[in-house]
């Protein structure tokens, strides 16, 4: 699968990395996923795109404040970023970045959802979004929240999700946005296990051929293992951190 030319409203369409050492990040993801990185675009604050083959797959930018943790961010596709920001405000959402045009590439904004997790939005222009559903590209996007019901309602009301309950059992409540091309976003009730002091947040899963081998590669490249690869009903999944500390997940079929 390549870049989707028409991304469903509300579906994740782009991810980017805020890094305290962009040279280190370029080297790490180049070795791990075979990505190449373009030169920083000074017109857009030094922002750069990672590509896999001929397709853009993710963004990279330098951390704006010293001491801030390196982090992957998720952006949802919207038809009208300015209007979506106003809807979010009406639902009590703090806005970190108001809707702003990024040249002719598109329009972005960043806000906090009902559970306090940061979420971006992207109104596509010339930049249609990133590669998905192939090795070395995002394959799932997941929100861990302490305020599950409010978060589900927020994404329904602000981003026009049609939430589908995947599980509603003691200790495991999960809702998904099911997209026609097989890419899913999920909301997990993390109130029982999210550590004290860790805010609600989105996680990005990247598809790999073998999660065990990918974890070993992460460690060879200076990253670390947060949760070792284990088999689940949804594939073999591991949680790792890259060479500057940004966390993400790896998923393989076996």
């Amino acid at each position: 699968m390549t870049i989707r030319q028409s991304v469903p409203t509300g579906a994740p369409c782009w991810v980017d990395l805020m890094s305290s050492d962009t040279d280190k990040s370029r080297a790490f993801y180049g070795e791990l996923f075979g990505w190449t990185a373009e030169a920083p675009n000074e017109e857009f604050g030094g922002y750069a795109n990672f590509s896999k083959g001929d397709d853009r797959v993710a963004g990279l930018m330098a951390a704006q404040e010293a001491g801030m943790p390196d982090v992957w961010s998720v952006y949802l596709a919207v038809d009208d970023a300015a209007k979506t920001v106003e809807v979010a405000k009406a639902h009590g959402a703090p806005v970190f970045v108001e809707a702003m045009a990024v040249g002719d590439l598109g329009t972005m904004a960043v806000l906090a959802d009902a559970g306090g997790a940061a979420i971006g939005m992207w109104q596509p222009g010339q930049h249609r979004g990133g590669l998905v559903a192939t090795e070395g590209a995002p394959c799932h996007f997941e929100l861990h929240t302490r305020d599950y019901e409010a978060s589900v309602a927020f994404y329904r009301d602000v981003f026009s999700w049609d939430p589908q309950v995947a599980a509603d059992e003691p200790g495991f409540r999960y809702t998904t946005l099911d997209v026609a091309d097989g890419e899913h976003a999920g909301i997990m009730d993390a109130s029982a296990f999210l550590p004290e002091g860790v805010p609600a947040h989105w996680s990005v899963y990247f598809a790999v051929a073998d999660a065990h081998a990918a974890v070993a590669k992460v460690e060879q490249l200076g990253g670390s293992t947060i949760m070792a690869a284990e088999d689940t009903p949804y594939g073999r999944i591991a949680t790792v951190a890259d060479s500057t500390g940004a966390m993400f997940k790896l998923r393989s079929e076996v």
Side-chain angles (χ1 to χ4, degrees), residues 1-2 4 57 130-141 181-183 205 207 251:
M1 180 175 289
T2 56
R4 297 172 290 196
V57 67
L131 185 70
V132 294
T134 192
E135 190 176 321
C139 61
H140 189 63
F141 313 83
D181 61 15
E183 286 312 295
Y205 289 65
R251 186 174 76 180

Side-chain angles (χ1 to χ4, degrees), residues 60-204:
L60 172 67
M61 68 183 302
Q64 304 300 299
E65 297 181 30
M68 294 292 290
D70 290 10
V71 64
W72 278 99
S73 297
V74 175
Y75 296 78
L76 306 182
V78 296
D79 298 324
D80 187 326
K83 181 178 179 180
T84 306
V85 166
E86 292 308 311
V87 173
K89 288 179 178 178
H91 284 79
V95 176
F96 302 135
V97 180
E98 293 280 356
M100 58 178 285
V102 185
D104 61 359
L105 299 177
T107 303
M108 68 163 289
V110 183
L111 49 83
D113 67 21
I119 184 65
M121 65 182 77
W122 181 250
Q123 177 186 332
Q126 294 297 317
H127 192 313
R128 305 301 300 172
L131 185 70
V132 294
T134 192
E135 190 176 321
C139 61
H140 189 63
F141 313 83
E142 185 174 85
L143 171 64
H144 285 194
T145 181
R146 293 184 177 87
D147 203 339
Y148 176 74
E149 292 179 356
S151 295
V152 171
F154 182 87
Y155 286 93
R156 179 195 65 214
D157 297 339
V158 175
F159 290 102
S160 301
W161 279 28
D162 179 16
Q164 304 296 314
V165 176
D168 190 4
E169 304 169 2
F172 184 44
R173 295 198 293 170
Y174 203 93
T175 289
T176 62
L177 169 69
D178 297 334
V179 180
D181 61 15
E183 286 312 295
H184 307 300
I187 298 175
M188 178 179 286
D189 181 356
S191 57
F193 62 82
L194 203 57
E196 183 74 23
V198 175
H201 62 275
W202 279 87
S203 294
V204 183

Side-chain angles (χ1 to χ4, degrees), residues 183-248:
E183 286 312 295
H184 307 300
I187 298 175
M188 178 179 286
D189 181 356
S191 57
F193 62 82
L194 203 57
E196 183 74 23
V198 175
H201 62 275
W202 279 87
S203 294
V204 183
Y205 289 65
F206 293 96
V208 293
D210 183 324
H212 286 302
V215 168
K217 185 72 169 179
V218 165
E219 294 186 346
Q220 291 170 12
L221 295 171
S224 58
T225 302
I226 309 301
M227 292 185 64
E230 60 180 18
D231 292 337
T232 77
Y234 310 101
R236 184 171 293 163
I237 296 172
T239 304
V240 296
D242 68 17
S243 54
T244 68
M247 290 195 296
F248 60 97

Side-chain angles (χ1 to χ4, degrees), residues 16-101:
D16 62 19
L17 173 65
M18 183 80 75
S19 171
S20 56
D21 189 333
T22 54
D23 288 340
K24 204 170 186 179
S25 297
R26 287 167 180 263
F28 178 89
Y29 290 98
E31 290 291 333
L32 182 62
F33 294 139
W35 292 356
T36 57
E38 65 186 26
N41 189 326
E42 298 308 324
E43 180 184 356
F44 301 127
Y47 197 91
N49 290 302
F50 283 114
S51 294
K52 187 168 178 62
D54 295 329
D55 293 324
R56 289 171 173 163
V57 67
L60 172 67
M61 68 183 302
Q64 304 300 299
E65 297 181 30
M68 294 292 290
D70 290 10
V71 64
W72 278 99
S73 297
V74 175
Y75 296 78
L76 306 182
V78 296
D79 298 324
D80 187 326
K83 181 178 179 180
T84 306
V85 166
E86 292 308 311
V87 173
K89 288 179 178 178
H91 284 79
V95 176
F96 302 135
V97 180
E98 293 280 356
M100 58 178 285

